[in-house]
Amino acid sequence: MKHPSVPLPRIGMRVIKTAVAVMVSYALFLPFGLTYREELGGVLGQMGPLYACIACIICTQSTLGQTFQQGMSRLIGVLVGGILGTATLLLGPALENLWLKTLVLGLVCVAGVWLCLLIKRPTACGMACILPCVILITGVTGVTRYYYAAARMIETVVGLLIALGVNAALPDHRPEHRRGEPGHRPEVDNDTRKLCVIGDPVGHSKSPLIQNTMIRALGLNYVYLCQPVPRGGCRQWLDCAKFSGWAGFNATMPHKEELVPLMDELDEDARLVGAVNTVCLRDGKAYGYNTDGAGFLRTLADEGIDPAGRQVLVLGAGGAAKAVCLKLAQAGVDVVVCNRTLEKAAAICAHDPARLRPAGFDPATLYKEAQDCDLLVNCTSLGMEGTEGQFADFSFLDGLRPGVPVLDLIYAPAETELLRQARQRGHKTANGFGLLVNQAVLSLEHFTDTAIDAESMKTCIARVL
Ligand code: NAP
């Protein structure tokens, strides 16, 4: 007998968990009835199982963590939508005018989406629109509108709690090694768009694992591969990628500079740094971006560090240091660049001599420069897993004023010796994991042209790295 060419969908544990959660939600809210029983009065009169069931359908995922993330986004959407919907109450009888109501519907949708994007919760956008629209369209008026919105929020919270409870109670059927990971192996169909990282060598790259994890978590129809391209082969690769319909790619060493003259358009940061690490291919054109500097500024913001008006001490003058220094200088920050090879530090500083100053890497110089800085950033590879190099001594950290934060771009090991020494001296420290994720998120935002919630991506990526 011939097998069907398309495999039948499998009914897995996630589907079963969803069904159980929906049944529990329905049973719990059944006493309130499907049509609202206003005779119960107040919020109770507006209760029903619908929103709890929807919350279960949308939120129940393979793992508890993913369920929680989905649930929080949905809850935020309901809160934003509920506030916007009830706020329309202020317009009172004016809403009886159909033209005004139409306009208000449009405005609350724009406001809902905008607010959710502002707090980087794109998955909350839907609820932030649907709820105020339902409130307006169903025509509940007066104070009932408040009860209606409150009831939807309660139902969503209850639905979310049920989804979490069911997820915790029912077994995870996946093999041990895949537990806790959102599944980075992509599902591919004929519409799947292709992305990759190019480099020479590139086999060690964590980008496919990171990007596919995000792609799966966000439910995007993309796949991200690892593509070796030999040094000097960028032009040939670009022609091939355009011809064969790749959506875009990231570039690692040694291609970042070689790509610059090959781009049809360059973003401001790629031009500033003279290197491209993200390329989007659209309508036969190549758009080049550099996410290093913006990723670093996002990371500083995540750590609650505002570099404006401060002096930063950057250790190293390689590719990462260049992006960090030029972006900081562009933001009006004074930077001292200490590097073993002084000429490389001087070359970076020549881009903006008013803001950037080169210095040596000997212990005495490092100690002297540390005394005046408000933030120390290590952009050397010293202390990185798999390398031999290490700082000769850490006495320069004694020069730092109390409370000066110390950042290391290295993320493996999670705590380098530099960070350990700084922490022991009472300084706040952060490793390069935040930068790694922020850069990956920025790239995927360019590829897909959508805003992505970096915080939830950090949780997903931390599980698989
Ligand atoms: P790079 O271009 O090779 O630069 C390496 C830097 O380290 C140079 O300034 C080099 O000094 C210095 N260095 C190496 N060995 C040294 C030693 N024994 N003593 C003193 N200085 C030494 O590398 P990169 O691309 O800029 O990356 C630098 C580090 O940042 C790497 O560890 C990388 O993993 C990390 N990084 C992390 C992220 C992230 O997402 N978290 C992103 C980018 C980079 P010389 O100029 O004198 O050779």
Side-chain angles (χ1 to χ4, degrees):
M1 200 178 95
K2 234 178 133 192
H3 288 290
S5 52
V6 180
L8 292 172
R10 213 167 48 85
I11 297 180
M13 205 58 196
R14 178 174 159 192
V15 178
I16 294 169
K17 285 178 184 180
T18 307
V20 173
V22 167
M23 287 191 292
V24 174
S25 293
Y26 184 70
L28 203 74
F29 281 95
L30 203 55
F32 296 101
L34 270 178
T35 49
Y36 306 118
R37 291 175 57 187
E38 292 190 20
E39 72 271 16
L40 293 176
V43 178
L44 287 185
Q46 299 297 322
M47 286 287 204
L50 189 60
Y51 273 65
C53 291
I54 295 175
C56 289
I57 293 165
I58 294 176
C59 302
T60 307
Q61 304 285 316
S62 299
T63 69
L64 207 55
Q66 286 170 272
T67 305
F68 184 74
Q69 278 167 29
Q70 281 284 342
M72 288 320 287
S73 272
R74 189 170 172 76
L75 190 58
I76 288 170
V78 170
L79 287 174
V80 171
I83 292 165
L84 286 173
T86 47
T88 59
L89 193 64
L90 299 173
L91 293 168
L95 276 181
E96 275 152 35
N97 179 319
L98 280 185
W99 290 112
L100 182 72
K101 198 175 195 170
T102 311
L103 185 68
V104 173
L105 275 170
L107 287 177
V108 289
C109 286
V110 171
V113 171
W114 186 80
L115 282 170
C116 292
L117 292 180
L118 186 71
I119 55 174
K120 303 210 173 82
R121 288 281 182 176
T123 47
C125 292
M127 280 321 296
C129 289
I130 293 170
L131 188 57
C133 289
V134 173
I135 291 176
L136 276 166
I137 292 165
T138 51
V140 275
T141 51
V143 76
T144 313
R145 208 174 279 173
Y146 290 122
Y147 297 144
Y148 185 90
R152 300 295 79 78
M153 291 179 206
I154 294 169
E155 288 162 21
T156 303
V157 174
V158 173
L160 169 59
L161 290 176
I162 292 170
L164 285 171
V166 168
N167 221 304
L170 293 183
D172 190 341
H173 66 290
R174 291 169 303 158
E176 195 67 44
H177 69 276
R178 291 194 57 206
R179 299 252 170 112
E181 82 174 68
H184 69 271
R185 290 206 181 281
E187 280 164 13
V188 180
D189 62 31
N190 289 356
D191 297 321
T192 305
R193 309 213 57 207
K194 299 183 299 254
L195 298 168
C196 68
V197 55
I198 65 163
D200 180 17
V202 72
H204 64 284
S205 173
K206 296 246 186 276
S207 293
L209 174 62
I210 293 173
Q211 292 288 351
N212 285 321
T213 299
M214 295 200 292
I215 286 167
R216 283 294 298 260
L218 295 164
L220 300 168
N221 195 6
Y222 283 81
V223 62
Y224 192 104
L225 305 170
C226 181
Q227 178 65 50
V229 170
R231 184 185 284 270
C234 279
R235 181 179 288 280
Q236 217 179 338
W237 155 252
L238 202 57
D239 289 343
C240 162
K242 283 179 183 174
F243 177 75
S244 47
W246 289 75
F249 57 92
N250 288 115
T252 181
M253 299 315 285
H255 300 317
K256 293 182 182 190
E257 286 83 15
E258 191 187 330
L259 281 168
V260 172
L262 303 177
M263 296 294 105
D264 294 296
E265 277 185 36
L266 278 178
D267 87 331
E268 203 193 322
D269 283 4
R271 206 169 289 134
L272 180 76
V273 183
V276 162
N277 67 2
T278 303
V279 177
C280 294
L281 299 173
R282 293 188 207 107
D283 306 323
K285 285 193 168 173
Y287 299 83
Y289 304 88
N290 190 304
T291 59
D292 289 332
F296 178 71
L297 288 189
R298 264 198 194 185
T299 307
L300 286 187
D302 292 346
E303 295 297 329
I305 299 169
D306 180 3
R310 311 256 180 126
Q311 174 150 316
V312 177
L313 174 56
V314 168
L315 310 182
K322 186 179 180 189
V324 165
C325 292
L326 297 187
K327 196 71 186 168
L328 284 171
Q330 191 193 49
V333 179
D334 290 328
V335 185
V336 179
V337 189
C338 288
N339 196 46
R340 176 178 64 176
T341 313
L342 190 59
E343 301 79 59
K344 280 171 74 180
I348 291 180
C349 296
H351 286 266
D352 191 347
R355 292 273 175 217
L356 305 171
R357 177 166 64 80
F361 203 75
D362 57 285
T365 307
L366 290 180
Y367 183 85
K368 181 178 157 292
E369 299 298 347
Q371 285 176 314
D372 298 325
C373 80
D374 303 298
L375 167 67
L376 187 145
V377 186
N378 177 38
C379 300
T380 73
S381 48
L382 293 173
M384 189 169 85
E385 209 166 76
T387 60
E388 297 282 297
Q390 188 52 274
F391 286 88
D393 74 84
F394 293 92
S395 58
F396 65 95
L397 292 174
D398 297 325
L400 292 173
R401 289 190 298 263
V404 168
V406 177
L407 263 63
D408 201 328
L409 297 201
I410 295 169
Y411 58 88
E415 188 176 54
T416 55
E417 186 58 22
L418 173 77
L419 291 188
R420 195 178 74 82
Q421 296 271 350
R423 179 174 54 79
Q424 281 177 349
R425 287 166 169 82
H427 297 278
K428 186 185 166 196
T429 61
N431 66 17
F433 179 71
L435 174 61
L436 183 75
V437 177
N438 281 330
Q439 285 212 59
V441 165
L442 281 166
S443 282
L444 196 56
E445 285 183 336
H446 285 310
F447 293 140
T448 60
D449 208 14
T450 45
I452 295 169
D453 176 10
E455 271 317 302
S456 61
M457 291 303 106
K458 273 185 196 154
T459 320
C460 292
I461 293 168
R463 275 197 222 112
V464 295
L465 276 188

